[in-house]
């Protein structure tokens, strides 16, 4: 029998080329997408501006955000797809918790 819900984490690194309002808008966009398709188990954990381990698209810093949520097993693949095609997202990783 398939599991109904699974625990996941999504770590997202946003580009600092967006202004502060642009980053906040992206954070809210993905928060609402997760809430529409699952349940946030914790508040969105904003780590803030941090130095990247290596430059990505000629950027040395990024804005880190961690989402912890439960959802059906089909949703994380869709979330990962949307994250990777969104302008302003440098890197994203969705994992099972």
């Amino acid at each position: 029998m398939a599991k109904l819900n699974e625990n996941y984490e999504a770590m997202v690194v946003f580009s600092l080329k967006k202004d502060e309002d642009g980053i906040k808008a992206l954070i809210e966009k993905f928060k609402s997408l997760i809430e529409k398709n699952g349940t946030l188990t914790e508040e969105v954990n904003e780590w803030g501006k941090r130095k990247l381990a290596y430059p990505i698209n000629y950027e040395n810093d990024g804005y880190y955000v961690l989402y912890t949520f439960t959802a059906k097993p089909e949703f994380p693949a869709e979330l990962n797809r949307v994250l990777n095609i969104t302008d302003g997202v440098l890197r994203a990783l969705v994992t099972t918790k």
Side-chain angles (χ1 to χ4, degrees), residues 4-75:
L4 297 177
N5 283 326
E6 190 83 38
N7 293 323
Y8 297 98
E9 288 183 335
M11 174 58 76
V12 185
V13 181
F14 293 105
S15 171
L16 292 176
K17 288 183 180 176
K18 297 270 187 190
D19 60 344
E20 189 174 319
D21 293 333
I23 292 172
K24 295 292 181 191
L26 286 173
I27 292 169
E28 283 302 314
K29 173 185 174 181
F30 292 114
K31 180 180 177 184
S32 64
L33 179 65
I34 291 169
E35 287 174 336
K36 192 170 81 171
N37 294 290
T39 306
L40 281 171
T41 55
E42 297 176 17
E43 279 298 310
V44 176
N45 192 353
E46 294 186 37
W47 292 9
K49 181 181 172 183
R50 303 242 174 152
K51 186 154 184 67
L52 300 172
Y54 54 89
I56 302 172
N57 298 338
Y58 304 106
E59 293 190 48
N60 293 317
D61 298 315
Y63 193 89
Y64 285 73
V65 178
L66 178 69
Y67 299 93
T68 306
F69 62 97
T70 59
K72 294 192 184 293
E74 305 83 37
F75 174 65

Side-chain angles (χ1 to χ4, degrees), residues 73-84:
E74 305 83 37
F75 174 65
E78 176 64 16
L79 176 64
N80 198 35
R81 185 188 72 78
V82 172
L83 283 166
N84 286 323

